[in-house]
Amino acid sequence: MTVDKTTIFKARRKRFAEAIGKGAVAVIPSAPVAVRSRDVEFPYHQDHDFYYLSGFDEPESVIIIAPEHPEGEFAMLVRPRDKDREIWTGRRAGVEGALALFGADKAFTIDELDDVLPRYLRDAERVFYSLGGDERMNARMIQLMRASEANRERYGVGPTALLDPREILHEHRLFKQPEELDAMRRAIAISADAHRRAMATAKGGSGEWEIQALLEYAFRSQGATGPAYPSIVASGANATVLHYIHNDRRMEQGDLLLIDAGSEYDFYASDITRTFPVGTRFNDAQRDLYQLVLEAQLKGIAAVKPGVSFETPHEAAVRTLVEGMRELKLLAGAVDDLISTGAYRQFYMHRTSHWLGMDVHDVGLYRVDGESRKLEPGMVLTIEPGIYIAADDDSAPAQMRGIGIRIEDDVLVTPGGHEVLSAQIPKSVAEIESLTAA
Ligand code: GLY
Ligand code: MN
Ligand code: MN
């Protein structure tokens, strides 16, 4: 790891340590290894909270953050160096690396956990640990808490509270620092290139899987880890299935192709959707619906600025969609009624936004004190309205059935309003057709 990066992770730990305060100890385990089948594992992916604080991406590790603890504020428990194992599964930092490269004040091997944890917990007042998916670790922590109760009766010290570190950590992660925005911009630039290539390449007869391969080639060949989530390459009526990931249909010239695909770069996700006609121009029904989704998306984006609630872009997008759906004879009735009854959900059944960061659906509260949260500079969210008309929906005009359209951009809240981080990807009808009908 470079010196710069060590400084960044150290600053994050310092901020977190200040937030949990003296007398607290936080224990954060690495992600478990997931088995794909029998002896084959999924490629390892580190827990994002663990990585955010440590920059360490090995499994079977635990970090301890203990502000002003006499043994040191930052302890790491890691796999030991092991010549034989490293021949099979690659290099390990080991205790030496944890100290020299990752800024640990103290480092131990992971098999010392049962000795080390009680030493840190014994005198703590508050323990921060989130009961996660690792049942053995959960059981160990609960047992330690029980043991310390007895200690407290006898000696008057020991933790009285088990708290969730995510309350604090996720609030930190919600506001992106410059180095995080750099990684997100890079992930987005790579995705932008991939989406442009897909628009220019897809033709009647192309397999959805071929376009998926092209996208993911563009991701990997430009230094991304890969897709940040399973790529959706949905042609024709497949686009009306929100989480379609089979990607096994051969598309026809003139189908709409909905691509929801974003690369992950250095642990940061991008999340981008474009919808375009395969190998030609939009037909009339496609264009009418596309223009409506685009208008709703632009209204949603225009609403993004500090001080407005998280719901405001959604409300702006929904109102625009509902007005347009009436004009296109998809819905009938008063706009306010169609909104308040939720009748529009027949064609728009998901939300307009979510936070974006290390996770594609990133961490951070959407509601605070019972109210929708206000946007603030440094937050990144998606704006992604859509229209989905089932192929067998007899209530819709015939030429619109089987059309699914979504347009999704990644938007940073800035002091003056917003910046569309993915603005470089074509989305006007003219821009798109200059690629698809070239
Ligand atoms: N790709 C997942 C989403 O758009 O939320
Ligand atoms: Mn999204
Ligand atoms: Mn998406």
Side-chain angles (χ1 to χ4, degrees):
M1 192 162 36
T2 61
V3 175
D4 256 349
K5 278 201 147 179
T6 320
T7 318
I8 285 166
F9 292 111
K10 189 169 182 185
R12 291 180 189 170
R13 287 193 297 273
K14 181 161 183 280
R15 186 165 173 227
F16 176 71
E18 279 167 6
I20 62 173
K22 187 169 186 252
V25 174
V27 179
I28 301 176
S30 61
V33 171
V35 173
R36 183 170 184 272
S37 180
R38 284 174 58 81
D39 61 349
V40 175
E41 294 164 358
F42 282 107
Y44 186 68
H45 194 82
Q46 187 55 281
D47 177 86
H48 286 164
D49 289 335
F50 182 100
Y51 190 83
Y52 182 81
L53 291 171
S54 67
F56 191 66
D57 71 355
E58 293 186 27
E60 294 176 65
S61 319
V62 171
I63 57 174
I64 300 175
I65 295 177
E68 298 182 43
H69 196 278
E71 288 218 35
E73 293 204 339
F74 179 43
M76 293 176 73
L77 293 105
V78 302
R79 302 177 305 180
R81 297 294 309 273
D82 181 329
K83 232 171 159 200
D84 289 340
R85 296 306 311 156
E86 289 181 48
I87 288 171
W88 288 88
T89 55
R91 230 186 112 70
R92 300 175 171 189
V95 166
E96 308 83 339
L99 293 166
L101 303 172
F102 292 90
D105 299 318
K106 279 277 165 65
F108 310 90
T109 59
I110 189 68
D111 57 8
E112 295 176 271
L113 189 63
D114 286 330
D115 293 330
V116 173
L117 267 184
R119 296 217 302 272
Y120 276 89
L121 262 46
R122 199 172 39 218
D123 301 332
E125 288 162 17
R126 301 174 306 285
V127 175
F128 284 82
Y129 172 79
S130 57
L131 293 162
D134 184 343
E135 291 305 338
R136 266 186 54 207
M137 189 68 193
N138 291 344
R140 187 182 250 138
M141 291 301 294
I142 289 166
Q143 195 225 325
L144 278 167
M145 289 299 290
R146 280 216 192 95
S148 77
E149 277 171 20
N151 219 29
R152 189 168 180 88
E153 278 177 5
R154 235 172 280 152
Y155 306 111
V157 292
T160 53
L162 187 62
L163 301 158
D164 192 339
R166 292 177 296 191
E167 282 283 299
I168 292 168
L169 207 46
H170 291 183
E171 196 63 19
H172 291 177
R173 279 178 54 189
L174 176 57
F175 295 88
K176 274 62 185 178
Q177 301 299 315
E179 75 279 359
E180 300 185 275
L181 288 173
D182 286 347
M184 293 182 79
R185 286 181 202 279
R186 184 82 193 116
I188 289 166
I190 292 170
S191 304
D193 174 70
H195 276 268
R196 261 189 247 107
R197 289 198 218 181
M199 286 181 193
T201 306
K203 294 282 177 294
S206 304
E208 292 170 345
W209 63 93
E210 293 174 301
I211 301 304
Q212 178 187 351
L214 173 148
L215 292 160
E216 294 177 7
Y217 173 78
F219 294 170
R220 281 298 279 149
S221 61
Q222 293 175 85
T225 328
Y229 53 90
S231 303
I232 297 172
V233 183
S235 63
N238 290 340
T240 64
V241 178
L242 298 181
H243 287 166
Y244 174 81
I245 54 169
H246 294 299
N247 303 347
D248 60 0
R249 176 178 178 267
R250 219 176 259 291
M251 56 198 81
E252 291 173 25
Q253 187 85 352
D255 278 348
L256 283 186
L257 181 61
L258 182 157
I259 297 179
D260 184 347
S263 77
E264 178 185 271
Y265 185 85
D266 194 17
F267 280 89
Y268 285 84
S270 56
D271 184 8
I272 293 161
T273 308
R274 288 292 184 268
T275 309
F276 59 88
V278 173
T280 183
R281 299 181 187 285
F282 290 91
N283 69 28
D284 290 345
Q286 291 170 343
R287 190 182 312 101
D288 286 348
L289 289 164
Y290 186 86
Q291 294 281 28
L292 174 55
V293 176
L294 182 56
E295 191 191 339
Q297 204 236 8
L298 294 174
K299 286 269 167 56
I301 291 173
V304 175
K305 61 181 176 198
V308 307
S309 99
F310 178 80
E311 290 297 317
T312 308
H314 177 64
E315 288 162 2
V318 165
R319 183 159 289 274
T320 306
L321 285 175
V322 170
E323 286 167 1
M325 286 174 190
R326 281 176 78 238
E327 280 169 31
L328 294 175
K329 310 265 180 285
L330 282 166
L331 293 175
V335 170
D336 287 335
D337 292 343
L338 293 168
I339 293 174
S340 64
T341 60
Y344 68 88
R345 292 203 190 102
Q346 181 180 351
F347 304 115
Y348 180 44
M349 55 296 278
H350 61 78
R351 309 284 305 170
T352 303
S353 300
H354 55 80
W355 307 129
L356 180 70
M358 298 184 85
D359 282 282
V360 65
H361 296 159
D362 206 32
V363 298
L365 299 175
Y366 290 102
R367 296 181 71 79
V368 176
D369 297 333
E371 275 184 33
S372 178
R373 176 166 204 155
K374 301 273 186 285
L375 298 181
E376 293 176 59
M379 295 170 162
V380 179
L381 68 160
T382 64
I383 301 286
E384 50 174 308
I387 291 184
Y388 313 91
I389 305 169
D392 61 359
D393 187 339
D394 298 338
S395 75
Q399 67 279 16
M400 293 186 181
R401 292 176 204 160
I403 289 181
I405 295 169
R406 176 164 66 256
I407 307 172
E408 175 173 32
D409 280 305
D410 303 339
V411 181
L412 167 68
V413 185
T414 62
H418 62 261
E419 178 187 344
V420 182
L421 299 174
S422 46
Q424 67 272 51
I425 312 171
K427 72 177 173 183
S428 74
V429 166
E431 283 172 324
I432 288 177
E433 290 182 343
S434 75
L435 286 173
T436 61

